[in-house]
Every structure is written in structure tokens, then in C-alpha cells.
Amino acid sequence: MNAGFWIRLGAALLDGLIISLPVSLIAAALFGGTGGENFANVITFLYTLLLPVFWNGYTVGKRACGVQIRKLDGSPPTIGTMLLRQLVGGLVYGITFGIGAIVSAFMVGLREDKRAIHDFIAGTEVVYAN
């Protein structure tokens, strides 16, 4: 069964607390006021890009919430899949000044298949883990 808006939001918030917050604090300690944000952004991007590839579709937040990313054929995401999902999806959201992200939130909340724009781009879905 595909995961809906609230569980996906919860997983994203957990990832933010567990990963992004500590990385931001470490970056601030290492770099002070210059360059720390860029370092934190790169580490966070690599986390969201690579961990699902190496951990069968999970991030720490998704694992804690019992959901995972998978390709439409049921297989785990590959690096190419995650690049499409994170990089191209992120570009779409940036180019549309966040409107794409709002549309995606409504898609996850209202569509029967619960897929967002980045899921369509990458051919993925977020499902409850078995």
C-alpha cells in the first residue's frame, strides 16, 4: 500500500531532526559563518541521494516510520533513479518557485496512488514496508 502525505511528512521531519540538524551544527562548528551552509547542503543531499540506494529504499526517517522508496516494478531504487528523484525533481520544484512542491503535496494527499511529481519523474513510489 502506498504511503500518504502525513507519514511521508513525518519521515521527512525525522530525517531533518536526525540528520540535517546535527550536520548543520557540525558545519557551523567547522566553518563558522562562511561555507557551512554549502557543506551542510551537500552532505544532506548526498544522504538523501545515496542512503536509499545502499539501504533498500530507506532513509533513517523512512525506516523509523515504516515506509520505503521503491521503483514501480518493486525493486529498490538505483543511483540513476535517485538522481532523477532528488536532482531533477528538485530542479522542477526550484524552477516553479515551490509551486511544484505544493502541487506534489496535494498529489500525495489526494491521488489514489499517492505519487508526487518527483515520483513520476523517477518512476518510484513510497510504500509501507513489509
Side-chain angles (χ1 to χ4, degrees), residues 64-122:
C65 290
V67 297
Q68 71 184 124
I69 302 164
R70 71 176 184 193
K71 292 169 47 173
L72 291 176
D73 66 5
S75 64
T78 62
I79 188 72
T81 304
M82 291 308 297
L83 278 169
L84 285 171
R85 185 180 163 88
Q86 297 302 119
L87 189 61
V88 178
L91 287 172
V92 168
Y93 297 149
I95 289 169
T96 62
F97 300 104
I99 293 170
I102 295 167
V103 170
S104 280
F106 277 99
M107 289 171 67
V108 172
L110 300 173
R111 286 180 56 90
E112 189 174 327
D113 64 3
K114 309 292 183 197
R115 293 175 66 210
I117 292 171
H118 58 268
D119 289 314
F120 280 96
I121 291 169

Side-chain angles (χ1 to χ4, degrees), residues 18-37:
I18 294 167
I19 301 302
S20 298
L21 183 62
V23 167
S24 295
L25 293 174
I26 291 167
L30 290 176
F31 297 98
T34 58
E37 300 88 18

